[in-house]
Amino acid sequence: MATKIKARKKGNATEILVLVQHPMETGARKDKKTKKLIPAHFIQTMVFAINGKTVADVDMSTGVSKNPLIGIRVKNAKPGDKIDVSWKDNKGETGGAKTTVK
Amino acid sequence: MKRRTFLKGTVATSALAVAATAGLLRSGQALAAADKWPAAAFGATDLAAATKAVFGSGGTVSKDIKIKAPLQAENGAVVPIKVITALPNVKSIAIFVAKNPRPLATKVDFGSDSVGFYSTRVKMGKTSDVVVYVNSGGKILKNSAMIKVTVGGCGG
């Protein structure tokens, strides 16, 4: 599933925005045709790291919207710093994206 | 209360058993995943239980936690929420939607280089308070905002 990442300056901080294309199924919705429950499928954790050091560890559940857009801000990020974001869902699927601070 | 605890226990165990038999997760990984992702807090079905599972008792109302969100959300499936706080040493931020079937939507733990900021989009079944808890250097603070929802975002 496609993961997009963007880092931009916000005053003294750097904002990291991540967009994942993910259904974030609750497990409570029914398929309109088959009338069967659609199994839950959602991202559980997302870890933000800069130069290999974890700066934020996000836990989420089905309460987060489809195609999650998650943003955090860090201080002391320098141009050239490597940002690495990875996520994992309840089915064990993983994904992530990398970028560099400009 | 005992019955509820019992039911939760069996559901959690059977879910793990299903995952294990389906071969989705190796036993080691299953344990690690269960350890890391706070299933009890996310599974709690009322606000008090959910906040207690994450932060224990307590939580003082603080106006230093700013919640940027629409007053009225036309589509409950996608409600943008931004939390901004100038509180020192923010260790974690959690967002609860009081009237959702499972109030805890998301929680973030920060390292030392982060500032008190978190933005996300949540689902809201109906008009409800959105309650934000912040752990600022061990002190538990909270604030809330009422968001009106025209069309709920939890149904199909």
Side-chain angles (χ1 to χ4, degrees), chain B residues 103-127:
Chain B
L104 178 58
T106 173
K107 172 178 181 268
V108 54
D109 291 316
F110 291 118
S112 54
D113 283 332
S114 298
V115 294
F117 175 90
Y118 182 41
S119 79
T120 185
R121 301 191 293 205
V122 301
K123 293 175 198 163
M124 292 183 69
K126 55 185 163 184
T127 298

Side-chain angles (χ1 to χ4, degrees), chain A residues 63-66 69, chain B residues 67-82 95 97 100 105 119-126 128 130 145-153:
Chain A
V64 171
S65 305
K66 182 176 167 181
L69 176 66
Chain B
I67 304 169
K68 277 197 178 177
L71 280 175
Q72 177 139 23
E74 288 194 0
N75 180 3
V78 184
V79 184
I81 311 261
K82 245 183 212 182
I95 300 176
V97 182
N100 270 7
S119 79
T120 185
R121 301 191 293 205
V122 301
K123 293 175 198 163
M124 292 183 69
K126 55 185 163 184
S128 162
V130 168
M146 167 79 123
I147 300 177
K148 287 186 179 160
V149 175
T150 334
V151 181

Side-chain angles (χ1 to χ4, degrees), chain A residues 39-100:
Chain A
H41 188 199
F42 57 97
I43 296 176
Q44 290 186 314
T45 57
M46 185 184 280
V47 177
F48 291 71
I50 295 185
N51 294 335
K53 186 182 161 201
T54 301
V55 289
D57 185 346
V58 179
D59 289 331
M60 60 182 112
S61 181
T62 53
V64 171
S65 305
K66 182 176 167 181
N67 301 336
L69 176 66
I70 307 288
I72 62 147
R73 286 181 190 170
V74 293
K75 56 190 178 190
N76 305 332
K78 295 179 294 295
D81 281 358
K82 288 182 174 55
I83 304 173
D84 191 343
V85 174
S86 57
W87 56 261
K88 187 173 183 189
D89 70 20
N90 67 321
K91 292 185 179 176
E93 289 171 22
T94 57
K98 289 174 208 254
T99 189
T100 317

Side-chain angles (χ1 to χ4, degrees), chain A residues 29-36 38, chain B residues 156:
Chain A
R29 284 193 331 139
K30 276 187 183 159
D31 187 310
K32 279 180 186 143
K33 282 179 198 153
T34 63
K35 306 278 187 233
K36 279 187 184 157
I38 304 169

